[in-house]
Amino acid sequence: MSLGWKWFIEYQTPHSAHMHGIKRTLHSRRTKFQQIDVVETYEYGRMLVLDGKVQSTVRDEYIYHESLVHPVMFAHPNPRDVLIVGGGEGGTLREVLRHPGVRRAVMVDIDTGVIESSEKYMPELSDGAFEDKRTELVIGDGRKYVEDCRGKFDVIIMDVTDPLEGGPGQLLYTKEFYEAARRILKENGLLVTQATSTYYSTYCFATIYRTIKKVFGKAGGYHVWVPAYDSMWGFVYGTKGPDLKEMQAEHLDGEITKRKVEGLRYYCGEIHGSLFALPKEVVESMERKGEIATDAKPTFMPI
Ligand code: SAM
């Protein structure tokens, strides 16, 4: 079947994969933390790959980033101080800064290599967000930053690499981490995390949900189809007050206008509602009695 093209193959499980036809590899480097590749694909344009896992593509990254950022930002009555952990390519920061009410956006990423490679080969992802005067960029381990942090935030957004065994993000999906994060959230504060596939790693998604529920008491999950991930992608939130699920489409569209949040391509009131339509079996696996992720026993994706 080889059409003479080169293929990048992303494994979702040991027995299933997604193949991407690539025109050329623009950049490859190994840092202390991970393998970074930027490839030019036929279908999705430029694509950032970390440790063999697709992170973002120029063609569809906004679906992931808008779904990660805006539900919690609009659930909070007036988000001023926001912490982003991970998010190297700058798409999450870009979406946070769409909110004029934000006065401080702190982004903590462990690897300058990801920021440099993205800024060089995919600058449209951050779209100038790193130069915004509200941005504070910190290079370091998100776990340590949160544990040592003395300040407080309205919203914490976890845009970290998947929980892969031995990966740099594995201890950012545990009970101990979420307890530390909850401590630096103000009243009415919310945390959201990317939580892997609700289809081919439902177990991992459900474990992250149970873990956040254990720490926050009030929690929920939602998902969206991300074409380049070839899967429904899950997100889990924990809240000290406002609940994302309770927001009505009409009210939300009104808030988007009232708060002057401009440039959205995917997210709106109707889409918000659709994000929470989870299949029965996924809800059952979330609510089923089961293990939670701890430092001693973290949760991992199948591959
Ligand atoms: N959208 C992606 C996904 O769903 O897998 C995540 C994108 S973003 C590129 C992931 C970022 O997490 C990377 O830039 C990586 O360097 C960062 N990261 C991984 N472990 C980290 C840690 N312990 N502390 C801070 N950032 C970390």
Side-chain angles (χ1 to χ4, degrees), residues 33-34 48 50 53-56 64-65 85-89 107-112 114-115 118 140-143 159-162 167-170 172-173 194 229 233:
F33 305 100
Q34 54 212 334
L48 172 68
L50 297 180
K53 292 274 176 187
V54 177
Q55 304 294 307
S56 284
Y64 168 87
H65 287 117
V85 178
E89 72 273 58
M107 180 180 141
V108 183
D109 198 292
I110 201 166
D111 194 342
T112 38
V114 178
I115 298 164
S118 308
D141 177 12
R143 172 87 188 227
D159 183 18
V160 179
T161 34
D162 298 328
Q170 65 176 0
L172 294 166
Y173 295 90
Q194 76 94 350
Y229 296 172
W233 208 255

Side-chain angles (χ1 to χ4, degrees), residues 195-199 201-214 218-223 234-238 243 245 275-292:
T196 83
S197 164
T198 52
Y199 184 68
S201 59
T202 318
Y203 179 76
C204 194
F205 171 78
T207 305
I208 295 170
Y209 166 76
R210 279 192 294 270
T211 308
I212 290 180
K213 178 128 173 108
K214 177 100 179 155
K218 208 167 160 183
Y222 60 95
H223 66 178
F235 304 90
V236 171
Y237 65 90
D243 196 333
K245 271 201 294 287
L275 297 174
F276 292 86
L278 292 171
K280 195 164 170 292
E281 60 184 355
V282 173
V283 176
E284 282 164 2
S285 62
M286 289 163 74
E287 300 305 343
R288 192 174 301 133
K289 281 221 162 331
E291 65 180 29
I292 62 165

Side-chain angles (χ1 to χ4, degrees), residues 48-63:
L48 172 68
V49 180
L50 297 180
D51 286 341
K53 292 274 176 187
V54 177
Q55 304 294 307
S56 284
T57 78
V58 167
R59 177 152 172 212
D60 70 355
E61 55 79 18
Y62 63 96
I63 299 172

Side-chain angles (χ1 to χ4, degrees), residues 219-240:
Y222 60 95
H223 66 178
V224 72
W225 173 259
V226 179
Y229 296 172
D230 196 15
S231 177
M232 294 301 280
W233 208 255
F235 304 90
V236 171
Y237 65 90
T239 174
K240 283 183 157 186

